[in-house]
Amino acid sequence: MTHPFENLEPAQPVQVLPRHLAGPGAVDPRTTWDFPYDDGWPFAQANHGPAAAFSPCLRLQTIYDPQPEKRGKGTWVITAHRAPFTPADWWINFDAATPVELVHDVHTELLDLYLEDLHSDQDRLFQDETAAQEVYVPLLTRGWSHDVETDGTQTFLSPDGLGGVRHRYDISGSSGPAWRAWGGHPDEPHWKADFSFRTPTTLVAAFTASLISTEPLHRTVQDVPVQTRRALHIATPTTKPAHGNTPVAPPPPVPAPGRTC
């Protein structure tokens, strides 16, 4: 059985969909996080290895650990703390193989929430009242299936059956993630993303919006996982080198001073 990539050179740039099968793309933590580093957000990276960034008040922390000795086993981890150096109130964990554009879009929304809280009397990083429907209704409108289990979970599967989002809506006696997403076969996904209970629903909604976006992802043929090539289609061949990441917008303007953190 042939596939669209069969007669293309390994270095050929392509634009591909659906996003959940595109592979991780080119990873650069500094642009993936897209924080205003000149405004007090510390960033550190060790020789293109593990990287970390923090909010100025140290309540938000995000880490990229590629774990090159364990191919495909690295992680992106976001943690939020009500006070510096206290246990995390919530966390998000992405496998390193997650398409980097999805990771970028969650961090962009995270920065928006942070700035909104900083310059208002809201605290949406820890008291977000966004309804869960904001996460999954867009999936349904794109033809994803919906199945409700008696264990307090509901699962949404992509039309190709190779992408999924699971929501644990019954929080009683559960210590696992409230939301889990994956790409690939459910029994052996290429990547997965977990969102803990108390993670702002707005961030999960930003993730699913990016997941089902019809904006193609830039890859080279050699970067597209072999296992998913038959389920992908090429949206528009490109003639320029692929950059991997979604184009990065400049940091938002800083509003008038409000509370410090």
Side-chain angles (χ1 to χ4, degrees):
M1 182 178 178
T2 62
H3 55 76
F5 305 89
E6 194 163 42
N7 297 317
L8 298 180
E9 293 296 323
Q12 169 68 44
V14 291
Q15 296 184 43
V16 297
L17 286 170
R19 288 181 160 213
H20 58 273
L21 300 177
V27 174
D28 180 350
R30 179 177 283 273
T31 57
T32 300
W33 292 333
D34 191 24
F35 294 137
Y37 303 108
D38 292 338
D39 290 332
W41 286 70
F43 173 89
Q45 185 169 18
N47 298 320
H48 302 287
F54 306 85
S55 64
C57 61
L58 303 181
R59 295 202 304 164
L60 293 179
Q61 172 179 296
T62 186
I63 293 174
Y64 170 60
D65 183 1
Q67 299 181 27
E69 72 282 0
K70 300 178 181 178
R71 185 172 177 80
K73 299 299 182 182
T75 55
W76 301 87
V77 181
I78 302 170
T79 55
H81 310 256
R82 289 187 178 271
F85 312 114
T86 60
D89 192 72
W90 56 262
W91 51 264
I92 302 172
N93 191 340
F94 303 100
D95 287 347
T98 305
V100 72
E101 294 84 354
L102 278 59
V103 180
H104 171 270
D105 290 347
V106 171
H107 282 87
T108 298
E109 187 66 28
L110 177 68
L111 177 60
D112 287 348
L113 279 183
Y114 173 85
L115 294 176
E116 182 180 332
D117 286 355
L118 188 63
H119 302 286
S120 72
D121 59 358
Q122 300 184 82
D123 195 14
R124 294 185 61 199
L125 282 170
F126 300 98
Q127 297 175 1
D128 183 31
E129 297 180 357
T130 302
Q133 291 90 327
E134 296 291 330
V135 175
Y136 57 73
V137 166
L139 302 177
L140 298 175
T141 62
R142 291 289 173 83
W144 287 47
S145 66
H146 179 212
D147 183 56
V148 181
E149 302 289 345
T150 58
D151 63 355
T153 63
Q154 53 183 340
T155 302
F156 306 84
L157 292 178
S158 61
D160 58 21
L162 297 175
V165 174
R166 180 168 294 134
H167 175 215
R168 181 173 293 280
Y169 59 86
D170 180 2
I171 65 174
S172 59
S174 174
S175 59
W179 299 90
R180 168 166 288 180
W182 64 87
H185 194 278
D187 293 336
E188 194 174 352
H190 302 306
W191 61 265
K192 65 180 185 298
D194 290 337
F195 301 78
S196 75
F197 287 100
R198 293 188 296 276
T199 297
T201 305
T202 299
L203 298 182
V204 192
F207 178 84
T208 55
S210 184
L211 178 68
I212 63 174
S213 171
T214 56
E215 181 181 352
L217 300 186
H218 294 256
R219 298 290 186 267
T220 61
V221 171
Q222 61 196 355
D223 292 335
V224 176
V226 173
Q227 305 94 318
T228 65
R229 291 182 181 182
R230 286 184 172 85
L232 280 163
H233 71 269
I234 298 175
T236 306
T238 61
T239 57
K240 297 179 180 180
H243 296 289
N245 289 346
T246 304
V248 175
V254 179
R259 70 183 187 188
T260 58
C261 234

